[in-house]
Amino acid sequence: QKFLDGSKLDVLISYLDALNKDVTFRKNTPPEEMKDYTALLLNCYIKQKKIKELEKFVEQKDILEQPKVLETAIEVCKNTKHIDLALRIAAKGGMKDAQIQILMDIQKKYTDALKLIESEKDKIKKFEMFMKYGARLLEKEQKKTMDLLIPLIRTLIQIKNGNPSEDYKPEELEQLKTLKYEQIVSIFSDEINSPIEDLLNIIM
């Protein structure tokens, strides 16, 4: 509290940065308390307009391996209206879900969100993204969403029928068999003016 005065914030930053770098301290500190220290550090960086220092902090290898720290950094940036910085942190941490949420909920950039989903190589993760965001994307960007959905649903139907068009490792194939294209269909079929019947006609 004594160091929250503007003239002493740089000293507080040095102290909090040292705490975050102290592996023993991190290991022995409850997660919620550590989260508070990290949030305070990141807020101090922003208050002092030390954006480059903040970015360097989250780019540290051990920090990038701590999802909770990155989540805190993203929330702090969102709360302080540093949206582009929040996106960069999410991208550096490989947090695609956080990127999609920012693009859709804050920036309303639905096409960019679709591009991120399209770039996902893991079909299971892509399926989960469609289950989570697909209905909204279908409403905002119907044609582009359909263009992405068609190959995914076609793949799942082929796997269900026992004739996949690609070679998969046995464990990948077993995982993909658990995904049911009907789940996507059931979500989208409730949408007003849903094109899901047209989509199924195209696929079938």
Side-chain angles (χ1 to χ4, degrees):
Q1 291 296 321
K2 290 179 180 179
F3 283 86
L4 286 174
D5 175 80
S7 63
K8 299 174 183 174
L9 278 180
D10 286 341
V11 180
L12 182 58
I13 286 173
S14 297
Y15 175 71
L16 292 170
D17 186 43
L19 287 185
N20 268 280
K21 288 176 180 175
D22 189 324
V23 177
T24 304
F25 178 80
R26 285 208 313 261
K27 192 180 294 183
N28 295 323
T29 304
E32 283 305 307
E33 190 176 327
M34 199 67 227
K35 180 180 177 181
D36 290 341
Y37 286 130
T38 304
L40 181 56
L41 170 60
L42 298 172
N43 273 298
C44 287
Y45 275 135
I46 289 173
K47 193 167 184 179
Q48 293 294 82
K49 296 182 171 56
K50 295 190 172 189
I51 304 303
K52 287 184 180 178
E53 285 85 345
L54 189 155
E55 289 198 77
K56 284 180 184 176
F57 173 79
V58 297
E59 284 174 353
Q60 296 174 85
K61 187 176 183 297
D62 63 328
I63 296 297
L64 286 172
E65 293 171 353
Q66 297 180 64
K68 292 292 182 187
V69 175
L70 294 180
E71 286 170 12
T72 301
I74 291 166
E75 284 306 308
V76 167
C77 291
K78 283 162 63 176
N79 292 338
T80 53
K81 310 300 181 188
H82 288 75
I83 306 304
D84 287 338
L85 180 55
L87 269 175
R88 290 201 298 275
I89 292 170
K92 286 170 184 173
M95 304 175 76
K96 200 168 282 189
D97 201 60
Q99 289 175 267
I100 293 171
Q101 286 180 11
I102 293 169
L103 289 169
M104 290 180 63
D105 297 338
I106 300 175
Q107 296 187 325
K108 312 299 180 188
K109 293 181 178 179
Y110 301 103
T111 300
D112 289 349
L114 276 166
K115 285 178 182 175
L116 262 181
I117 294 175
E118 185 179 17
S119 70
E120 179 55 63
K121 302 300 181 187
D122 187 318
K123 285 188 172 62
I124 292 173
K125 288 182 181 177
K126 185 176 282 190
F127 178 87
E128 290 170 350
M129 288 175 185
F130 271 119
M131 290 296 292
K132 190 170 183 178
Y133 305 109
R136 280 180 62 199
L137 288 169
L138 199 64
E139 178 189 345
K140 301 294 183 180
E141 291 285 351
Q142 188 177 103
K143 184 182 182 306
K144 290 175 182 175
T145 304
M146 290 270 284
D147 289 343
L148 285 183
L149 267 174
I150 287 171
L152 178 61
I153 294 181
R154 183 177 281 137
T155 295
L156 296 179
I157 290 173
Q158 289 169 345
I159 289 171
K160 182 178 180 179
N161 294 336
N163 58 342
S165 59
E166 299 177 43
D167 290 328
Y168 297 101
K169 294 178 182 177
E171 60 271 21
E172 289 177 323
L173 196 57
E174 286 305 310
Q175 281 186 300
L176 288 168
K177 282 179 181 177
T178 66
L179 306 181
K180 295 179 170 51
Y181 74 87
E182 294 92 344
Q183 288 178 271
I184 291 179
V185 173
S186 67
I187 289 178
F188 296 160
S189 61
D190 292 334
E191 296 297 305
I192 298 172
N193 300 320
S194 170
I196 203 67
E197 286 186 13
D198 295 335
L199 178 123
L200 284 176
N201 287 333
I202 292 169
I203 294 169
M204 299 298 197

